[in-house]
Amino acid sequence: MAAAAFFASVVSVRAVLLLCVAAAASAQLSATFYDASCPRALATIRSAVTAAVRRDPRMGASLLRLFFHDCFVQASLRFFLLSVGCDGSVLLADTANFTGEQGSFPNKGSLRGFDVVDSIKAQVEAVCPRTVSCADILAVAARDAAVTLGGSPYTVLLGRRDSTTASLSLANSDLPSTTANLSDLITGFARKGLSTTDMVALSGAHTIGQAQCTNFRSRLYGESNNLNAAALRATCPQSGGDGNLAPMDPATPTAFDKAFFTGLIQQRGLLHSDQQLFSGGATDALVRAYASNGGTFRTDFAAAMVRMGSIGVLTGNQGQVRVACSRVNS
Ligand code: HEM
Ligand SMILES: *[C@@H]1O[C@H](CO)[C@@H](O)[C@H](O)[C@H]1NC(C)=O
Ligand SMILES: *[C@@H]1O[C@H](CO)[C@@H](O)[C@H](O)[C@H]1NC(C)=O
């Protein structure tokens, strides 16, 4: 009895502390954080992202997704502040004595762009050593990637610090699955403090980038759909070819535009989870609004990115500024 009460109060104290830390932390992010300490940081990141996307247009999508997967893997109440949100944890590589998030089901064999982030970090370290966090680099790179491909510009709030930990189990549990239905998606984003509008707008990131056959095979063969079946079935046979790629917005695969939403109205969403956004439910109207007005989509996307970018950040003296994004400072 006493033990149970004690346990409950420890849990709630932790929960309260965590909420305070999260609230205080997001209040401390600032647009001008590096203005004095590293005035060249933003321009350095932008030119590196622009060059990387010019070399490989898909890299814009890959950088944007890295930021999402960083922010969505959040604090655990089981282990106090094990790992928080946009804290660069996704960038930590596995070593003999460290298991990070890169081997989780949603990430393994799928996330890309680590080499580009390492290279951006090296360029930023060259102008301002030990000053700019990997978590901030990812936040800025994601914005610049979207803008390079046609997204609306917005101001990124800065001052995140890097984690010294990562969580494989939370990467497995907290990242949304392609098998999710609409209510799963709404709930999953709500658990991160994001609204249904944020969820739909952020899902518009799939207007760029590609998915592997293994992630759309069951929709292609198992659901009645309007996918361009012949071409997709050649890419994605019923067995084999798991890693073969198809664009999630085949109309304009490297343009950050509203065509992804137009595709959903035509029942052409490649992922089951994407088509859920236009499947007779509460988000149909918003999908129609974005499909008819790309400006509204881009504005809502930018605002939602700012909100996603403040999930569970470390600030002040918490965490560290990693020297190399793939490993904790020794
Ligand atoms: C709503 C729930 C979401 C689900 C279920 C989901 C799932 C997926 C899946 C399965 C892929 C393909 C991975 C592969 O086959 O290798 C993918 C790719 C991608 N996702 Fe999501 N995603 C979601 C939301 C988001 C959000 C919120 C963003 C960013 C704001 C995002 C950005 C991307 C991008 C840009 C790609 C393409 C990456 C590339 O081509 O390298 N996704 N997503
Ligand atoms: C983990 O291994 C690295 C070398 O790979 C070593 O430098 C580091 O001290 C080890 N850390 C712990 C906590 O054992
Ligand atoms: C959505 O899927 C979850 C399981 O992931 C299930 O519990 C729930 O009943 C489903 N909701 C609807 C409306 O189909």
Side-chain angles (χ1 to χ4, degrees):
M1 188 62 180
F6 175 72
F7 180 70
S9 80
V10 167
V11 169
S12 67
V13 165
R14 283 181 179 183
V16 167
L17 272 178
L18 199 70
L19 289 174
C20 294
V21 167
S26 71
Q28 286 165 27
L29 294 180
S30 130
T32 57
F33 191 80
Y34 296 113
D35 281 9
S37 60
C38 190
R40 287 164 65 194
L42 296 188
T44 305
I45 299 168
R46 186 177 56 240
S47 64
V49 169
T50 312
V53 173
R54 201 180 302 118
R55 274 194 306 275
D56 169 13
R58 186 184 170 198
M59 188 50 67
S62 305
L63 292 170
L64 179 52
R65 186 168 187 235
L66 272 182
F67 180 56
F68 166 50
H69 283 212
D70 189 21
C71 292
F72 252 55
V73 178
Q74 206 186 2
S76 162
L77 295 180
R78 277 179 303 145
F79 308 106
F80 181 59
L81 282 184
L82 175 69
S83 168
V84 289
C86 315
D87 58 0
S89 58
V90 72
L91 302 172
L92 290 171
D94 287 359
T95 66
N97 56 17
F98 179 86
T99 303
E101 295 161 16
Q102 295 176 9
S104 67
F105 292 112
N107 291 344
K108 193 179 171 130
S110 176
L111 284 185
R112 54 201 294 279
F114 295 110
D115 48 342
V116 171
V117 175
D118 287 346
S119 151
I120 298 172
K121 175 65 172 173
Q123 292 174 54
V124 172
E125 283 293 301
V127 292
C128 315
R130 295 176 179 260
T131 306
V132 183
S133 68
C134 297
D136 277 346
I137 287 176
L138 215 43
V140 174
R143 187 267 316 265
D144 292 346
V147 170
T148 301
L149 297 173
S152 286
Y154 59 94
T155 301
V156 179
L157 299 179
L158 300 164
R160 296 169 192 76
R161 305 264 297 174
D162 296 324
S163 71
T164 53
T165 58
S167 174
L168 179 67
S169 64
L170 291 173
N172 278 324
S173 65
D174 282 18
L175 288 167
S177 159
T178 54
T179 61
N181 59 34
L182 180 59
S183 67
D184 295 331
L185 293 171
I186 291 172
T187 310
F189 279 68
R191 277 173 51 211
K192 307 293 174 187
L194 297 172
S195 70
T196 301
T197 301
D198 291 335
M199 186 275 288
V200 176
L202 288 168
S203 297
H206 290 176
T207 185
I208 53 175
Q210 301 180 27
Q212 303 177 61
C213 166
T214 184
N215 284 316
F216 60 84
R217 180 185 284 121
S218 58
R219 167 152 164 76
L220 185 56
Y221 294 98
E223 294 175 23
S224 66
N225 60 59
N226 291 346
L227 295 172
N228 182 356
L232 277 176
R233 284 177 186 184
T235 302
C236 185
Q238 269 183 294
S239 71
D242 284 6
N244 293 350
L245 293 166
M248 289 179 283
D249 171 15
T252 53
T254 59
F256 200 93
D257 61 10
K258 63 183 188 173
F260 167 76
F261 293 104
T262 314
L264 295 185
I265 292 174
Q266 297 162 344
Q267 298 296 323
R268 296 212 164 133
L270 184 65
L271 304 181
H272 168 82
S273 47
D274 284 343
Q275 193 58 57
Q276 283 293 299
L277 303 178
F278 191 86
S279 55
T283 53
D284 281 16
L286 192 54
V287 169
R288 283 191 199 282
Y290 290 160
S292 72
N293 189 336
T296 309
F297 158 53
R298 281 188 283 260
T299 307
D300 283 6
F301 177 82
M305 285 287 280
V306 173
R307 280 189 282 276
M308 184 172 84
S310 69
I311 295 175
V313 295
L314 300 172
T315 57
N317 294 323
Q318 299 169 325
Q320 60 181 212
V321 172
R322 273 182 231 143
V323 174
C325 293
S326 62
R327 56 180 185 271
V328 171
N329 297 342
S330 49

